[in-house]
Amino acid sequence: MIKAVLFDLDGVLVDAIEWHYEALNKALSLFGHGIDRQSHLSFYNGLPTKVKLDHLTKERGLPKSLHNIIYEMKQIYTTDFINKCCRPDFQKQLLFKALKKRGLKIGVCSNSIRETLQLMLKKSNLIEECDIIISNQDVEKNKPHPEMYQKAMEELGINPAETIIVEDSPHGIQAAEASGGKVVIVKGVRDVCLGLLEPYLV
């Protein structure tokens, strides 16, 4: 019997993939660097910013001395995008209320930093329904490692067989599958609704 539903954030609950892409590229462009859209979608999407910067250093020669300033600027730009673009999604609000009405726990596990994660959930009017929120600062190993989902299950007192995980990116899907939960894969925010989850809640 399912007792909890754990959601990724970007691309699942909030259509924020483009915001992260634009914010990072805006920060990188200050120093003459950037990531093309195809590379972001095929590899970088879903990874923490610091991991992205490490890969850019290894693969494209981004000076490591620039990591801290680029990271800080990226967070500033991301916050600007959230404040300007993030709005409540009535479908997601209905979904969360329906899940809570059934007695299910709700968690959000994201490779975003805690401040960004909480801000998006607040702007989306979803944070009040969440039983647990886990950011990349709450674990030692980020997605694609399953620690984030394992931690959520442990703190909620449930096992993988009692857990549905909703994910969209390759790294997130890998983490969800490795955790042992029942994985529901979506292509984007519009896919995420009660009708999608109904077959798994029986």
Side-chain angles (χ1 to χ4, degrees), residues 27-94:
L28 287 169
S29 69
L30 298 173
F31 305 96
H33 290 267
I35 301 173
D36 63 274
R37 192 173 300 275
Q38 183 56 43
S39 294
H40 185 264
L41 291 175
S42 63
F43 179 75
Y44 291 95
N45 181 32
L47 293 174
T49 300
K50 289 182 178 180
V51 175
K52 292 178 183 178
L53 294 177
D54 284 338
H55 278 288
L56 286 171
T57 293
K58 293 175 184 176
E59 302 297 328
R60 306 190 188 186
L62 174 71
K64 198 168 182 63
S65 60
L66 295 177
H67 282 204
N68 286 342
I69 183 62
I70 292 173
Y71 178 84
E72 294 299 330
M73 293 307 299
K74 191 272 181 180
Q75 303 311 326
I76 291 171
Y77 294 144
T78 299
T79 299
D80 288 344
F81 274 112
I82 295 170
N83 284 322
K84 182 167 58 177
C85 304
C86 193
R87 298 289 183 271
D89 183 331
F90 187 56
Q91 185 183 59
K92 301 302 175 293
Q93 290 176 290
L94 285 177

Side-chain angles (χ1 to χ4, degrees):
M1 182 178 179
I2 298 300
K3 294 183 179 179
V5 183
L6 305 179
F7 296 89
D8 176 40
L9 179 67
D10 304 331
V12 173
L13 294 176
V14 180
D15 198 6
I17 294 173
E18 187 71 13
W19 307 343
H20 284 289
Y21 172 71
E22 293 291 348
L24 180 56
N25 258 357
K26 189 174 181 180
L28 287 169
S29 69
L30 298 173
F31 305 96
H33 290 267
I35 301 173
D36 63 274
R37 192 173 300 275
Q38 183 56 43
S39 294
H40 185 264
L41 291 175
S42 63
F43 179 75
Y44 291 95
N45 181 32
L47 293 174
T49 300
K50 289 182 178 180
V51 175
K52 292 178 183 178
L53 294 177
D54 284 338
H55 278 288
L56 286 171
T57 293
K58 293 175 184 176
E59 302 297 328
R60 306 190 188 186
L62 174 71
K64 198 168 182 63
S65 60
L66 295 177
H67 282 204
N68 286 342
I69 183 62
I70 292 173
Y71 178 84
E72 294 299 330
M73 293 307 299
K74 191 272 181 180
Q75 303 311 326
I76 291 171
Y77 294 144
T78 299
T79 299
D80 288 344
F81 274 112
I82 295 170
N83 284 322
K84 182 167 58 177
C85 304
C86 193
R87 298 289 183 271
D89 183 331
F90 187 56
Q91 185 183 59
K92 301 302 175 293
Q93 290 176 290
L94 285 177
L95 169 61
F96 272 36
K97 290 187 180 301
L99 294 176
K100 297 298 285 188
K101 190 174 181 179
R102 295 182 182 210
L104 297 171
K105 300 289 186 180
I106 295 175
V108 179
C109 302
S110 170
N111 266 352
S112 295
I113 62 172
R114 190 179 304 108
E115 182 180 351
T116 298
L117 171 54
Q118 292 178 335
L119 180 59
M120 283 195 201
L121 289 173
K122 286 177 182 177
K123 299 283 284 187
S124 302
N125 286 348
L126 297 174
I127 198 165
E128 296 298 328
E129 305 291 350
C130 294
D131 296 285
I132 189 167
I133 298 170
I134 296 182
S135 72
N136 67 15
Q137 295 168 303
D138 300 314
V139 293
E140 292 184 8
K141 297 179 180 179
N142 305 134
K143 302 174 190 177
H145 193 279
E147 182 185 354
M148 195 171 287
Y149 287 120
Q150 292 169 337
K151 181 180 178 69
M153 293 177 201
E154 181 180 351
E155 294 193 10
L156 290 174
I158 57 176
N159 61 55
E162 299 169 326
T163 310
I164 291 174
I165 302 174
V166 186
E167 269 286 0
D168 68 319
S169 71
H171 299 293
I173 294 167
Q174 184 178 336
E177 291 177 341
S179 76
K182 298 181 179 181
V183 185
V184 178
I185 300 173
V186 297
K187 293 181 179 179
V189 174
R190 292 184 181 181
D191 292 348
V192 184
C193 61
L194 185 59
L196 174 74
L197 299 181
E198 281 281 10
Y200 302 90
L201 296 174
V202 178

